[in-house]
Amino acid sequence: MPRSIIHWEIKDAFSKFGFGDGDGPNFTAEVAAAIEAAGLYRCRTQAWGLHNYAIETIEEEVEPGIWVTVAEFDGYTLPTWTSLRQPIRKALVALNDGESPAWPR
């Protein structure tokens, strides 16, 4: 049975022009789920019209019901590896390696 292998990069989930400028499969939800599994984080996303659907902010719950923004993305400037918190980096490495991104909270 024929199969298709799709190559993509995690950084596409933060870019307005990622995932072939929105013309191909989109894995933003998988990246956001990995980040959210890293701790008390949630991702807010932005739809760019006919372009990509991407992560706009990462927020952390500092107290029950109190969320603060820990990272913002404008769709043009991609996050640097060191700008992301350690639990998020670990979760993204796990996602990239095909492992479970869930980490103990």
Side-chain angles (χ1 to χ4, degrees):
M1 174 151 262
R3 66 180 185 155
S4 177
I5 297 174
I6 300 169
H7 296 279
W8 58 280
E9 296 184 40
I10 289 172
K11 68 180 183 175
D12 288 340
F14 300 93
S15 172
K16 176 180 180 179
F17 305 107
F19 300 113
D21 199 17
D23 287 339
N26 187 301
F27 298 95
T28 297
E30 285 82 347
V31 175
I35 292 169
E36 291 172 355
L40 298 175
Y41 298 106
R42 71 178 176 192
C43 294
R44 300 221 183 243
T45 56
Q46 167 79 27
W48 293 95
L50 297 176
H51 298 285
N52 192 24
Y53 158 73
I55 296 170
E56 182 178 48
T57 62
I58 300 173
E59 299 173 336
E60 181 179 24
E61 188 173 33
V62 293
E63 294 180 29
I66 308 282
W67 294 87
V68 297
T69 299
V70 296
E72 290 184 274
F73 313 101
D74 63 5
Y76 298 95
T77 304
L78 299 177
T80 63
W81 188 244
T82 55
S83 71
L84 299 172
R85 294 186 173 190
Q86 183 66 20
I88 294 171
R89 292 194 308 248
K90 285 184 177 183
L92 294 178
V93 167
L95 176 66
N96 187 67
D97 293 346
E99 300 169 2
S100 172
W103 296 95
R105 294 182 185 213

